[in-house]
Amino acid sequence: QVQLVESGGGLAQAGGSLRLSCAASGSIFRINDMGWYRQAPGKQRELVAVITSGGNIRSADSVKGRFTITRDYAKNTIYLQMNSLKPEDTAVYYCNADVWYSGSYGYRATWGQGTQVTVSS
């Protein structure tokens, strides 16, 4: 069993900042990509930013220059520093990781429970 536990969501004013964390724990052999997705009410889940095992980053155009994803490989943890927040950033933010579970074969997409981010204007 592998768990992704997110923290750091909450309420911020437009122009403010929040920092999200996601820690993976459990029977982990290896983790490939880790990233953040978000889903606003009535919309599909969308990619925010992903960081690969090699440190390559891809992110949505809407957050470039404002959000920064980082990863602590030793702790199996990623962070999302969100600056210059806008009301349209309001969503539930989900952590995702491609995890190779110990004792199994191959990577599985694993999701956290989500954390709410609300940005007021």
Side-chain angles (χ1 to χ4, degrees):
Q1 189 76 3
V2 173
Q3 287 186 320
L4 301 181
V5 179
E6 300 120 332
S7 61
L11 177 65
Q13 290 188 333
S17 298
L18 286 172
R19 187 182 190 230
L20 305 183
S21 301
C22 170
S25 63
S27 300
I28 299 169
F29 174 64
R30 187 177 294 164
I31 300 178
N32 195 6
D33 295 359
M34 292 187 77
W36 294 96
Y37 291 73
R38 67 186 181 186
Q39 187 166 19
K43 295 188 176 181
Q44 289 188 331
R45 192 172 296 189
E46 63 176 3
L47 168 74
V48 177
V50 170
I51 183 166
T52 70
S53 57
N56 294 314
I57 293 171
R58 61 183 188 273
S59 58
D61 288 343
S62 60
V63 306
K64 285 179 179 176
R66 300 188 300 123
F67 292 10
T68 302
I69 187 170
T70 56
R71 182 168 174 174
D72 186 328
Y73 292 86
K75 295 181 179 179
N76 287 331
T77 299
I78 57 171
Y79 306 92
L80 186 68
Q81 179 66 44
M82 304 185 292
N83 298 328
S84 302
L85 283 162
K86 303 176 180 180
E88 51 263 44
D89 294 319
T90 296
V92 178
Y93 284 68
Y94 295 91
C95 179
N96 171 269
D98 291 332
V99 182
W100 189 313
Y101 288 46
S102 298
S104 69
Y105 181 80
Y107 290 97
R108 300 188 216 174
T110 304
W111 292 91
Q113 79 284 358
T115 184
Q116 177 70 45
V117 170
T118 302
V119 183
S120 62
S121 57

